[in-house]
Amino acid sequence: MTRLDIFINRMTAQRDLLNLLRDQNLLPEGPIMEVGLGNGRTYSHMIETFPGRRFIVFDRHVAAHKTSIPPEEDLVIGEIRETAQNYIGSEAALVHADIGTGYPEKDAIVMSWLPGLAAGMLRSGGYAVSGLALDHPQLEMLPIPDHLEPGRYYLYRKI
C-alpha cells in the first residue's frame, strides 16, 4: 500500500469515527481536547461537527493553516506530554489524538504516556479517538465500523 493510500485510510477512519460520535449523539457534556493541531484539518472538521463546544488544542508549535488556528486562550503550546498535564481532571467529553509518527520506536514512547493522559482528561463516559492504541485500564476499546481498516484508528470510552 502506498503512503498516500495509508494517509487516506487514516483520514477516512478519523473522519468517520468523529462523525459516528456526532451522528449517534454520544458525547457527554464537556470540552473537547485536540492533542496535536498539525495542519488544523481535524480541528476545522471538529468545530463544525461539534458546534458550541469548547476546544482546547495542544501542540509543540503552530504549523496550522491560518484559518484553522484556535483562539489564543484555547491553544496550549509546548511539549504536549508536559503542558497537557495541567488538564488532567478537566472532564473532557472527547480527546482526539493523531500524533503518531509511523516510526514504531518513536510511537512507543508516545504510547507510554498518551493513554494515561487521555484517560486523565476524560470524564466518565467520555470518548477517545486516536491514531495510536491507548492501552489503559480506564479506557474500554470499542468496535469500529466494518468498512474501516482494523488498527488504523481506535475508539475508546472511559469507564
Side-chain angles (χ1 to χ4, degrees):
M1 181 177 294
T2 69
R3 292 188 68 231
L4 178 60
D5 288 329
I6 291 168
F7 175 76
I8 291 168
N9 286 347
R10 191 177 94 236
M11 292 298 101
T12 299
Q14 183 185 100
R15 182 202 60 209
D16 290 358
L17 290 174
L18 293 169
N19 289 351
L20 174 77
L21 293 175
R22 176 201 61 206
D23 295 346
Q24 294 187 8
N25 198 27
L26 294 174
L27 292 188
E29 293 297 315
I32 294 175
M33 306 297 188
E34 170 70 322
V35 180
L37 177 61
N39 187 275
R41 288 181 290 259
T42 305
Y43 171 73
S44 172
H45 182 73
M46 288 196 308
I47 61 176
E48 288 190 23
T49 301
F50 304 109
R53 297 279 185 153
R54 179 176 183 207
F55 289 84
I56 302 171
V57 180
F58 305 87
D59 213 327
R60 294 174 71 195
H61 61 275
V62 177
H65 188 274
K66 66 181 181 178
T67 62
S68 298
I69 298 174
E72 187 175 321
E73 64 272 14
D74 294 331
L75 181 60
V76 182
I77 300 299
E79 289 299 323
I80 296 169
R81 181 179 185 176
E82 299 165 10
T83 60
Q85 293 298 316
N86 295 328
Y87 294 84
I88 298 289
S90 59
E91 298 290 302
L94 172 63
V95 172
H96 173 258
D98 186 15
I99 57 174
T101 65
Y103 295 99
E105 64 280 359
K106 290 181 180 181
D107 290 346
I109 294 168
V110 174
M111 288 170 30
S112 73
W113 57 264
L114 183 59
L117 178 69
M121 288 177 162
L122 284 169
R123 71 179 314 120
S124 180
Y127 291 84
V129 176
S130 177
L132 295 173
L134 301 177
D135 185 23
H136 192 277
Q138 291 182 313
L139 297 175
E140 171 191 18
M141 184 186 287
L142 300 175
I144 61 172
D146 291 338
H147 73 278
L148 299 177
E149 178 185 342
R152 174 52 42 215
Y153 235 78
Y154 303 89
L155 178 62
Y156 299 88
R157 183 176 46 235
K158 184 171 181 182
I159 300 169

